Amino acid sequence: MMIRFRGLVMVGFVGLLLCDSLSSVVAADSVMLEFSGQTMATTYSVKVFGPAESVDVDDLRIDIDGVLRNVNDQMSTYLKSSEISRFNASDSTDWFPISPEFADVVDAALSIAVKTNGAFDITVAPLVNAWNFGPSPRTGKAPSDETIQQLLATIGYQKLTVRMDPPSLKKSIPSLMVDLSAIAKGHAVDRVVEFLNSKGMKDVFVEIGGEVRTSGSKAGQWWKVGIQMPDAATDQWTVAHALSTSDSDRAMATSGDYRNFFESDGKRYSHTIDPRTGRPIDHALASVSVVTASCVDADAWATAINVLGPDDGLAIATKEGLDTLLISRAGDEFLRIGTGTLSQYSTASPVGAVQASPVKAVDSAGSPWVVMAITTIAFATILMAMAVGVIFGRKAISGSCGGIANKTNDDGSVSCGLCSNPADACKELRDRMQTTHSQETNA
């Protein structure tokens, strides 16, 4: 989706993000371009303040989608034809050619893996699947100790090597797999910001799935990002931090355990798996926010510190000179401890109240009638939104993925919000269409 505002601009961010305020007025005659959609199994939001009059908003939206599609084509494990999927499927232990961007991300991941002694490990995917948080069908049950030990033998960042010239990966055991879900969103944020900056757009805000990077300002006001209280029941903000300043542009990522978990036999299991033990993390740390120059580093460090826990996480944040905010559960309340520029938000005593989470465990998802009702309402809402778009936009429905009057790209593909996510799906659909066309032509 894309929205262009002129004059009075109302600013509000959804999810983990917060601007100067949820509703603020920017200078008259100012222009804010806003784009949003889906990518990497989550949503993205892009804001460009004060673009040049010559900017074609439709072309810009397509270009942003193109950047995100490129990341998916390189690093999505949901796309069989992606570089990472082909590497994972390969049994070869020889050097495997990859793109320079893919190599950069793996290099950054391995660097943090070494610094954390494996608390951050991009080969942990088999364990994530076993604990019901990967693409495999969920069982709602914890894996056995024997299974965990067997899978631990199949992972390990030490079994993976990256080479930058020419960019290549190499694994020491054929079964080793790479999953960049804990770092690729940050990388994609960086790619979009750098693309916009290269086009002369210096005042931008880019967010993917809660990971955010800003550049410049909007009419002299610094972009601010809200850090949420780690409580799915309240959705309250605990601080609002200015990312970009006169000195530099910054990025922020947050890792928490309060939204994605499952319960089995009365025990709550976090989706964050400690690669060193093969088990979900189990400590008082509820969320970690990290501010760094690049979003790829912020994304990886947030997960790494979340795995390490409140004590070891705080120690390595201090050692590495990171700007972090660690929020831990203290009885029925939360305690904030910060380092670097985020130390200003530390609290001497607990704040807020831990609420009972309304989120259902994956193995006890509630009444099927409730699920059916929610699905029906959501489906009806989407149909109504499409109808409104057709009626008031005076555009016909088009596109293989059900988008509304989307523009045809130069390569013949249809660009739309849904397709930007899984470019995966769109690309493979295009491949199938091309194959079918070739077969028909040759027939």
Side-chain angles (χ1 to χ4, degrees):
M1 294 183 289
M2 180 281 296
I3 306 172
R4 182 167 192 156
F5 295 98
R6 182 179 296 278
L8 184 66
V9 179
M10 305 299 289
V11 182
F13 299 142
V14 179
L16 296 175
L17 308 174
L18 178 72
C19 194
D20 275 349
S21 63
L22 288 179
S23 178
S24 63
V25 179
V26 181
D29 298 328
S30 62
V31 173
M32 177 91 81
L33 299 181
E34 295 190 26
F35 306 88
S36 63
Q38 295 179 311
T39 187
M40 306 174 77
T42 184
T43 60
Y44 75 85
S45 172
V46 175
K47 300 174 187 293
V48 180
F49 183 80
E53 288 292 330
S54 59
V55 171
D56 185 306
V57 293
D58 288 331
D59 287 345
L60 182 60
R61 176 179 59 80
I62 292 171
D63 287 342
I64 292 171
D65 272 353
V67 172
L68 296 174
R69 288 183 182 195
N70 189 243
V71 175
N72 268 331
D73 290 343
Q74 294 169 337
M75 306 176 203
S76 171
T77 54
Y78 289 86
L79 176 60
K80 293 180 181 178
S81 58
S82 68
E83 293 181 22
I84 192 171
S85 292
R86 288 187 284 110
F87 173 75
N88 287 341
S90 172
D91 290 332
S92 172
T93 54
D94 295 332
W95 284 108
F96 186 94
I98 59 174
S99 62
E101 295 85 359
F102 187 4
D104 284 341
V105 174
V106 172
D107 186 55
L110 292 181
S111 174
I112 294 177
V114 171
K115 291 179 180 178
T116 61
N117 292 320
F120 184 80
D121 192 335
I122 56 175
T123 70
V124 74
L127 283 161
V128 175
N129 284 334
W131 282 100
N132 298 284
F133 298 109
S136 300
R138 295 186 171 188
T139 64
K141 301 293 183 182
S144 66
D145 291 344
E146 181 182 7
T147 298
I148 293 172
Q149 291 305 314
Q150 290 174 348
L151 293 177
L152 279 171
T154 69
I155 73 167
Y157 70 93
Q158 304 93 334
K159 299 180 177 72
L160 179 68
T161 307
V162 61
R163 182 175 69 188
M164 307 306 294
D165 187 19
S168 311
L169 286 183
K170 186 176 183 180
K171 47 187 170 185
S172 62
I173 59 173
S175 61
L176 191 73
M177 295 191 294
V178 173
D179 187 336
L180 300 178
S181 57
I183 191 172
K185 289 198 299 292
H187 168 74
V189 168
D190 289 335
R191 291 267 288 267
V192 174
V193 170
E194 289 159 8
F195 165 76
L196 293 171
N197 287 171
S198 72
K199 297 298 181 182
M201 289 167 265
K202 304 300 182 184
D203 300 316
V204 303
F205 174 106
V206 177
E207 173 266 334
I208 299 177
E211 324 303 4
V212 59
R213 177 173 163 179
T214 63
S215 172
S217 66
K218 56 183 193 304
Q221 301 176 44
W222 304 122
W223 301 100
K224 287 187 177 180
V225 177
I227 298 176
Q228 194 174 33
M229 191 74 79
D231 187 342
T234 59
D235 272 345
Q236 293 180 345
W237 309 102
T238 184
V239 300
H241 181 73
L243 274 189
S244 298
T245 66
S246 57
D247 296 329
S248 62
D249 297 327
R250 309 289 281 175
M252 176 184 284
T254 297
S255 175
D257 71 346
Y258 55 100
R259 290 189 182 278
N260 193 6
F261 62 90
F262 80 95
E263 292 178 349
S264 178
D265 298 328
K267 184 173 177 58
R268 184 176 187 272
Y269 296 103
S270 168
H271 77 287
T272 302
I273 307 301
D274 187 338
R276 301 167 301 177
T277 65
R279 301 177 182 279
I281 58 174
D282 185 16
H283 49 60
L285 191 56
S287 78
V288 179
S289 296
V290 179
V291 173
T292 59
S294 68
C295 203
V296 67
D297 285 339
D299 197 2
W301 273 116
T303 299
I305 293 173
N306 193 25
V307 171
L308 287 167
D311 297 329
D312 291 344
L314 183 62
I316 198 166
T318 303
K319 176 183 177 183
E320 293 293 325
L322 298 172
D323 300 325
T324 64
L325 185 67
L326 284 65
I327 304 180
S328 300
R329 296 183 179 86
D332 294 332
E333 298 179 295
F334 294 108
L335 183 65
R336 298 196 307 244
I337 300 178
T339 63
T341 59
L342 298 184
S343 61
Q344 60 183 304
Y345 306 118
S346 297
T347 52
S349 58
V351 297
V354 178
Q355 304 291 326
S357 172
V359 179
K360 294 290 186 181
V362 297
D363 62 336
S364 56
S367 167
W369 296 107
V370 173
V371 175
M372 183 179 296
I374 294 173
T375 303
T376 302
I377 293 172
F379 186 64
T381 302
I382 293 172
L383 286 178
M384 183 175 295
M386 293 177 67
V388 170
V390 171
I391 294 171
F392 293 98
R394 298 180 182 280
K395 297 177 179 179
I397 296 178
S398 66
S400 59
C401 56
I404 298 176
N406 291 294
K407 187 173 182 178
T408 301
N409 300 323
D410 294 336
D411 63 357
S413 63
V414 177
S415 173
C416 67
L418 290 177
C419 277
S420 68
N421 175 7
D424 328 338
C426 282
K427 184 177 186 304
E428 292 189 345
L429 177 61
R430 292 199 301 272
D431 291 340
R432 289 199 298 270
M433 294 172 64
Q434 289 170 356
T435 301
T436 302
H437 177 72
S438 298
Q439 292 172 342
E440 291 176 347
T441 301
N442 296 329

